[in-house]
Amino acid sequence: MQAPAALTGLQTAVLALGDRAYPDFCAFGRQLAAWLAQSGAQPLAPPLQADCAEATALAAWQALLERLGAAGGVQLSSAPMLLPWRLVQRHWINQGSPGAPLYRLRLTPPAPEAWQAGDLLEVQPRGGRGALRRYTIASIDAEGHAELLVRQLRGPGGEPGLGSFWLTEGLPLRAAIAGRVIANPGFHAPPDDRPLILLGNGSGMAGLRAHLSQRVARGQHRNWLLFGERSRAHDFHGGAEIEQWRRRGCLARLDLAFSREAPCQRYVQHALAECEGECRAWLRDGACLYVCGGQRGMAPAVHGQLEEWLGAPALAAMAAEGRYRRDVY
Ligand SMILES: Cc1cc2nc3c(=O)[nH]c(=O)nc-3n(C[C@H](O)[C@H](O)[C@H](O)COP(=O)(O)OP(=O)(O)OC[C@H]3O[C@@H](n4cnc5c(N)ncnc54)[C@H](O)[C@@H]3O)c2cc1C
């Protein structure tokens, strides 16, 4: 590289690997790109610089190689490929709620992507500087985008959670974020048309909504939704769509529990407890029971109620048969 070479007509691309802890970040890669340009080579893209194998740069490199015809994608790590998804919409959907802010995000994949209700989107916050975070996808792939419900989470000292605050405040609209769909077969739909009882709270509406959308699209209408949150006015996420499904006959039964509304604190497990007869009838009819949302509070309380009614062995048998599934976090 002391002098230019005769490279006119050659198309080139440079992926520079480096570490920002060093003052001259990706110096060799940049020198190489400059020398190629001086030598008459035609760059296909500006040089990409990856800080400690940063996922966004690697995803952009993968996309470039695929545009050039690399068959079946190029795997730069042992995990499924991270691709540059784009944040196209973000709304704070529970303004006025006593609960922590909850956002609905819409992300589009770089190319059509397939997933099933129950699957997750794994994203890398802060352009590769944070560990991967998983979120249940609230939409179905036929909608063409992944919708997420992301709750801002704070640590014990009030410090903002890295992933949730990055997604809801840090990441600019239209920006790319490295992401991939993670199959979650333990929360996939039943293989047949059997009735479905969907139970959950808070951001757990994501998984419930994905299943309802998929069932509505398939013409499967024996659905029962039990959902709990703080207040109807601020926290009935996607309420208009759900009410519409109910009116159209796509949702056989809807029970809501809002804990901050008079006359008493009522949670989703209380709504369930009031429906023992109907719940047993649905289960006798072969229904599956899906729970999505809070690991603390809701999921153990619902589990306890079911155990009380059915007995631990019967509930364990339902889980083993895939009739009792949970996506709790
Ligand atoms: C299957 C599943 C589905 C989920 N779906 C949703 C959803 O739909 N909506 C929603 O709001 N949240 C969902 N979550 C929770 C979400 O993944 C995050 O945990 C949450 O957003 C808080 O992350 P944070 O980075 O803001 O908080 P932080 O406090 O920064 O981190 C929270 C958690 O992330 C993990 N973590 C933190 N740092 C690291 C690290 N360096 N390496 C590895 N792990 C680390 C730890 O488990 C920690 O407890 C889901 C989680 C799982 C497992």
Side-chain angles (χ1 to χ4, degrees), residues 102 120 131-136 149-151 153 155 160-165 184 203 206 327-329:
L102 184 75
L120 310 165
L132 294 159
R133 299 286 191 273
R134 292 182 167 189
Y135 296 90
T136 310
L149 296 181
V150 180
R151 174 91 64 193
L153 194 87
L162 189 142
S164 58
F165 273 77
N184 188 17
S203 59
D327 174 33
V328 297
Y329 45 86

Side-chain angles (χ1 to χ4, degrees), residues 102 136 149 151 187 198-209 225-230 235-237 255-259 266-269 290-302 327-329:
L102 184 75
T136 310
L149 296 181
R151 174 91 64 193
F187 203 62
L198 293 157
L199 257 149
N201 68 340
S203 59
M205 179 58 95
L208 309 180
R209 195 261 169 195
L225 174 66
L226 295 106
F227 177 69
E229 249 285 12
R230 289 173 178 83
D235 301 301
F236 186 14
H237 319 306
D255 289 275
L256 300 167
F258 294 108
S259 61
R266 194 163 164 272
Y267 294 99
V268 72
Q269 57 268 28
Y290 282 35
V291 180
C292 191
Q295 171 107 272
R296 267 166 270 135
M298 185 277 298
V302 165
D327 174 33
V328 297
Y329 45 86

Side-chain angles (χ1 to χ4, degrees), residues 184-228:
N184 188 17
F187 203 62
H188 281 172
D192 50 27
D193 190 19
R194 62 183 58 229
L196 190 59
I197 305 175
L198 293 157
L199 257 149
N201 68 340
S203 59
M205 179 58 95
L208 309 180
R209 195 261 169 195
H211 276 289
L212 276 173
S213 300
Q214 190 168 281
R215 302 263 301 176
V216 171
R218 291 176 177 174
Q220 299 168 334
H221 294 165
R222 287 188 299 168
N223 306 308
W224 176 3
L225 174 66
L226 295 106
F227 177 69

